[in-house]
Amino acid sequence: SQQGEEDPQALSIQEGENATMNCSYKTSINNLQWYRQNSGRGLVHLILIRSNEREKHSGRLRVTLDTSKKSSSLLITASRAADTASYFCATVRNSGNTPLVFGKGTRLSVIA
Amino acid sequence: DAGVIQSPRHEVTEMGQEVTLRCKPISGHDYLFWYRQTMMRGLELLIYFNNNVPIDDSGMPEDRFSAKMPNASFSTLKIQPSEPRDSAVYFCASRPSTGPNTEAFFGQGTRLTVV
């Protein structure tokens, strides 16, 4: 079964606005990762947050993790048309070197 | 490194035919994963290998699906016989064995259409 579930399924915003996507998961995790997928392409890693971290930044990206609620959020600030893509959260379980388990993603459209 | 390389990029085949998808992982990566992506089910893990050995194939949907990794630089996913419901994008990904806190690198995918 899917580990992560993203919310919303689709998001449309104007260029310059901030975009927030949420992810919920079910089991204990070692880390949570966010990936981006442009249409017709493979997934590209954006950022990883470990289970003992609460917040992490990378450029215009800000990720938070709340292990008590089993949830994470990805914030993209000052969005650009080039940010239009699908965004997926993926989790690695606490049992160690296990595969990433993905949610169904959020489709972000940034309108210029 | 050129990244994870998958071939073909697109495959159209008739129902009942055998389909073979190919993947070359990044050199030095010990883990290789096969995922399937559809609109309805999202990204599903089919099987993964560690040091060329299959570790978990519980995601392989049916006996029609098989995967091999004869060496560290090559893996195949075979569907025989193929059915229209197998139509999807199949991704291969690899990851180094430096612990769980590492990212996976994905290929561009193979879009399979079974008619």
Side-chain angles (χ1 to χ4, degrees):
Chain A
S1 62
Q2 295 286 351
Q3 168 74 315
E5 293 292 337
E6 288 90 341
D7 167 56
Q9 290 187 348
L11 179 62
S12 184
I13 60 174
Q14 297 288 325
E15 204 168 31
E17 294 180 339
N18 295 341
T20 300
M21 290 159 270
N22 302 297
C23 168
S24 60
Y25 57 92
K26 298 177 181 175
T27 65
S28 296
I29 61 171
N30 180 285
N31 66 75
L32 185 145
Q33 303 180 27
W34 285 90
Y35 286 77
R36 167 191 167 131
Q37 182 181 32
N38 285 64
S39 180
R41 309 297 294 274
L43 282 79
V44 176
H45 180 262
L46 293 175
I47 194 166
L48 180 154
I49 186 165
R50 302 182 185 200
S51 60
N52 61 353
E53 297 175 314
R54 291 298 166 257
E55 188 171 313
K56 203 164 183 178
H57 297 255
S58 176
R60 294 185 296 114
L61 305 180
R62 173 179 168 255
V63 170
T64 62
L65 179 65
D66 187 335
T67 53
S68 66
K69 296 181 179 178
K70 291 187 168 59
S71 67
S72 174
S73 67
L74 171 67
L75 169 69
I76 304 174
T77 60
S79 63
R80 305 166 182 168
D83 294 329
T84 295
S86 290
Y87 293 82
F88 296 86
C89 71
T91 54
V92 176
R93 290 184 181 175
N94 225 355
S95 49
N97 244 328
T98 54
L100 291 163
V101 180
F102 286 86
K104 291 188 177 180
T106 293
R107 293 186 305 278
L108 173 66
S109 297
V110 181
I111 303 167
Chain B
D1 201 318
V4 176
I5 300 172
Q6 292 187 246
S7 64
R9 288 295 309 277
H10 302 273
E11 176 81 37
V12 180
T13 191
E14 291 185 347
M15 182 174 63
Q17 295 297 306
E18 177 180 297
V19 175
T20 300
L21 311 181
R22 297 173 175 79
C23 175
K24 181 181 188 311
I26 293 174
S27 176
H29 283 193
D30 298 327
Y31 283 88
L32 183 140
F33 309 90
W34 282 101
Y35 288 89
R36 178 172 70 176
Q37 185 178 36
T38 60
M39 286 296 292
M40 288 296 294
R41 300 176 67 89
L43 270 159
E44 302 173 280
L45 177 69
L46 300 177
I47 185 172
Y48 78 100
F49 296 83
N50 179 217
N51 290 322
N52 313 338
V53 176
I55 303 301
D56 184 353
D57 66 354
S58 60
M60 297 285 260
E62 300 171 33
D63 291 344
R64 298 183 295 105
F65 286 70
S66 63
K68 294 182 180 180
M69 192 163 186
N71 58 62
S73 59
F74 184 65
S75 177
T76 60
L77 178 68
K78 185 177 293 186
I79 308 172
Q80 166 63 14
S82 58
E83 296 183 4
R85 59 195 168 120
D86 302 330
S87 297
V89 182
Y90 291 81
F91 287 102
C92 174
S94 69
R95 190 181 82 193
S97 115
T98 48
N101 293 308
T102 51
E103 63 185 274
F105 294 80
F106 281 75
Q108 294 298 302
T110 294
R111 180 174 295 277
L112 174 65
T113 303
V114 183
V115 298

